[in-house]
Amino acid sequence: MAVGVKDVAAAAGVSVGTVSNVLNRPDRVSERTVERVQRAIRELGFVRNDAARQLRAGRSRSIGLVVPDIGNPFFADVARGAEDRAADAGMTVLLGNSDESDERQQAHLELFQEQRVNGVLLTPASEDLTALRRFAAGGMPVILVDREVEEGIFPSVSVDDVEGGRLAARHLLDAGRRRLAFVGGPQSVQQVADRLQGAQAAVAEVDGAALEVIEQPSLTVLQGREAGEAIVARAPDDRPDAVFAANDLLAVGLLQAFSFGSGVRVPEDIAMVGYDDIDFAAATVVPLSSVRQPARLLGWTGVDLLLKELDGVEHDRRVRFQPELVARDSTAFSSRRNPS
Ligand code: RIB
């Protein structure tokens, strides 16, 4: 038989109302009584039934967050930032991983609705926002993180990925590299398409520069390694002299393929720039230059936007941060190379 509020009240010698105050409004109860009730809760092993409290209060203490790849440290950092802001407001974050599947994303959204979360932050699993629009039409506040949509129907927090792609390519071009390759995932992923667009714009400004596009099925270390092995298999004169990877996981895989006896030196033969600046970037076999996204700030701001939506506080519906290039050994050019 589960321990209830009445059992705690009897054990502490107080009323049920006092126990409720200790749980929800402890500032209204004397410290001595709070301690007595909390001791009874510990001794009896009482666990509050949030569902009943949520029904009474109309709002839960939780926020839903759905990310497309929990294995990517970038999204772990987004979740950390979201947790930090939620904790400031006495709330918690329920995390779901869609694995870039619309079906799994929908299942998480429905569960969050049952859990009566205050709202949902998510990086959409795909370009199809039909189900998301239907979900939001039910009244649940939705904030896009790491994405924005032109119609502006959802408030969003994101990074200017077109500028990020331009920064990456510009950095390589300024060092005299001219045979660039962009290693990305499907261009149906908006982040990939935007980064490529920025890189193409930078290359178009430099005579004699070219940008080869290598599209992998997904943005993972394994796919980066496969792309790298295909580059190593090419004749040296047929290889790019610089690679811009659409995220750091791809870059880590490329570096793996270029290391360990491949005969390819980074940056001498092939310079490398990644994207996200995850913690591993600085720790790779050749510390990786990367376009930094403020991942924790993205998550923090996403929750902050949600709380402002809930409280009817005026706020920007579209927050966009600027990326920053962090240069490390993978583009440490000892001397400017003559364009070959
Ligand atoms: O999900 C793929 C990429 O998009 C991540 O690595 C991060 O860069 C996000 O913006």
Side-chain angles (χ1 to χ4, degrees):
M1 175 79 167
V3 174
V5 172
K6 286 181 181 173
D7 304 306
V8 172
V14 299
S15 70
V16 168
T18 299
V19 174
S20 174
N21 279 339
V22 168
L23 292 172
N24 300 302
R25 291 175 294 280
D27 55 302
R28 296 184 180 179
V29 185
S30 73
E31 276 191 31
R32 201 160 63 86
T33 302
V34 168
E35 281 166 16
R36 256 198 10 249
V37 169
Q38 286 176 339
R39 187 166 55 249
I41 286 172
R42 282 193 304 274
E43 288 167 358
L44 294 174
F46 168 75
V47 176
R48 65 189 301 171
N49 173 355
D50 239 18
R53 196 190 66 78
Q54 287 172 22
L55 286 172
R56 277 197 311 282
R59 278 173 64 170
S60 76
R61 290 185 300 130
S62 53
I63 290 167
L65 168 63
V66 185
V67 297
D69 177 5
I70 194 61
N72 184 340
F74 168 81
F75 290 109
D77 285 342
V78 168
R80 281 195 182 94
E83 272 280 355
D84 290 346
R85 181 64 186 92
D88 289 344
M91 294 186 186
T92 188
V93 172
L94 303 180
L95 178 60
N97 176 42
S98 66
D99 255 347
E100 296 176 356
S101 151
D102 283 325
E103 292 71 29
R104 289 188 64 171
Q105 174 177 287
Q106 186 60 25
H108 285 303
L109 293 177
E110 288 167 6
L111 181 67
F112 289 155
Q113 199 146 35
E114 290 163 19
Q115 292 291 318
R116 300 172 64 78
V117 299
N118 280 278
V120 174
L121 275 60
L122 89 159
T123 302
S126 74
E127 297 312 296
D128 180 0
L129 301 180
T130 312
L132 190 58
R133 284 196 183 91
R134 192 168 51 244
F135 176 76
M140 175 70 74
V142 172
I143 307 288
L144 296 187
V145 176
D146 189 41
R147 270 290 310 284
E148 59 185 54
V149 286
E150 279 317 306
E151 312 89 79
I153 53 171
F154 297 116
S156 63
V157 54
S158 60
V159 173
D160 183 345
D161 282 330
V162 174
E163 173 60 12
R166 195 194 66 78
L167 284 174
R170 190 71 255 176
H171 181 57
L172 296 166
L173 293 161
D174 287 348
R177 303 299 161 104
R178 291 295 179 269
R179 299 194 319 277
L180 275 60
F182 174 81
V183 176
Q187 292 182 44
S188 59
V189 175
Q190 194 60 46
Q191 294 92 326
V192 174
D194 287 353
R195 293 165 199 176
L196 173 56
Q197 180 188 332
Q200 287 169 327
V203 167
E205 294 169 355
V206 175
D207 290 340
L211 180 68
E212 172 190 359
V213 179
I214 300 172
E215 185 170 317
Q216 297 297 110
S218 58
L219 291 91
T220 62
V221 172
L222 179 61
Q223 290 299 331
R225 190 156 66 234
E226 289 191 7
E229 288 165 354
I231 289 172
V232 170
R234 288 155 55 171
D237 289 347
D238 185 36
R239 295 170 186 159
D241 60 8
V243 173
F244 166 32
N247 77 353
D248 286 346
L249 297 184
L250 285 168
V252 168
L254 283 153
L255 281 172
Q256 285 177 349
F258 295 161
S259 309
F260 316 131
S262 71
V264 170
R265 298 168 302 158
V266 176
E268 294 80 356
D269 299 323
I270 299 181
M272 287 274 305
V273 177
Y275 206 102
D276 292 340
D277 197 30
I278 58 177
D279 290 345
F280 300 149
T284 44
V285 60
V286 178
L288 180 67
S289 298
S290 186
V291 177
R292 185 177 184 278
Q293 291 204 80
R296 289 186 79 148
L297 182 57
L298 280 170
W300 192 99
T301 306
V303 171
D304 194 58
L305 282 180
L306 173 62
L307 295 175
K308 286 185 170 113
E309 285 272 299
L310 289 167
D311 294 337
V313 173
E314 193 57 35
H315 63 81
D316 292 332
R317 281 180 62 80
R318 181 178 292 184
V319 178
R320 183 189 284 180
F321 293 109
Q322 288 307 308
E324 170 200 359
L325 179 86
V326 180
R328 299 193 177 94
D329 294 10
S330 68
T331 57
F333 305 107
S334 49
S335 61
R336 200 178 162 81
R337 278 174 45 137
N338 297 323
S340 46

